[in-house]
Amino acid sequence: MDPSELAALVRPPPVAERYFVRHAYCPDVKGKARQDQFVFVHSNRVCMVGVAAEHPIRTGAARPVKVSFDVTEKVNRLSNKPAGKTKRNSQWLTELSPLCIVTCDDGTEYTLSSCMRGMLYEVNDRLLAHPELLVEQPEGEGYVAFISPRKTDAETCTAHLLDREAYHGYTAKRARGEPTTPPLPLPVHTGARGRGSGGAGRSGEDGP
């Protein structure tokens, strides 16, 4: 057997394949063409949100040079400070809540959204110093955030998103110029914002 073939057999699968039980996708977030994101669901229900392969951040000639988690005048995702097993004081997110703003070297800005509702578990502060991880390791060290759904929402919080097969079908239709209907925008949930959403844990407002 060729050494390269042997290496392929013993090489461990990517992080996204080893630890996440569902791979969901949100194409054309907020109706913006090709601004696709992914939501990978872990076996413990915590979800990893990141930049999908066809997003201009990953496909364009411009490179990301800055990531800001200061998404509105009143909301900075870095101020999120979950406490205890129940993650008290976590910021509550709707499907359309902004997570961060990415600036590329040509001046273009992209707002990355949560794509699901839940409590903000953490954002990836490594992106502040290394925005290139969004391109180089998007499904690993370049993730954007981890979001934890409420137990009552665990089975439904990503139901509006596309699975891998449906996403491939969607992108194929889009490439052919055929009509498509993106999962977002959706009606924003205005009910309870989860335990401990006051103070530093203010709701994720629907951003730019």
Side-chain angles (χ1 to χ4, degrees), residues 20-103:
F20 295 92
V21 298
R22 181 176 183 234
H23 297 74
Y25 298 85
C26 187
D28 302 333
V29 176
K30 296 184 181 180
K32 297 179 180 179
R34 297 187 179 276
Q35 294 193 25
D36 303 354
Q37 293 182 230
F38 66 75
V39 178
F40 292 167
V41 184
H42 195 278
S43 55
N44 64 7
R45 299 193 302 271
V46 174
C47 300
M48 181 173 76
V49 179
V51 183
E54 295 208 10
H55 195 292
I57 289 174
R58 291 178 58 180
T59 63
R63 301 280 293 180
V65 293
K66 179 183 177 182
V67 174
S68 173
F69 292 101
D70 196 3
V71 294
T72 73
E73 292 182 359
K74 298 180 179 180
V75 179
N76 188 321
R77 299 302 179 204
L78 292 174
S79 68
N80 187 62
K81 303 296 181 183
K85 292 183 178 180
T86 59
K87 306 306 176 189
R88 297 186 308 275
N89 300 321
S90 296
Q91 296 177 8
W92 177 252
L93 305 172
T94 70
E95 293 92 338
L96 299 177
S97 296
L99 293 174
C100 67
I101 299 170
V102 180
T103 304

Side-chain angles (χ1 to χ4, degrees), residues 119-160:
M119 295 178 292
L120 182 60
Y121 189 87
E122 70 172 36
V123 292
N124 186 2
D125 59 7
R126 283 173 291 187
L127 297 177
L128 296 173
H130 300 285
E132 69 277 3
L133 290 174
L134 290 169
V135 177
E136 296 173 359
Q137 300 185 52
E139 297 180 3
E141 293 186 10
Y143 73 92
V144 175
F146 279 99
I147 300 172
S148 179
R150 290 180 294 197
K151 289 183 179 180
T152 54
D153 287 341
E155 301 300 323
T156 61
C157 65
T158 61
H160 60 285

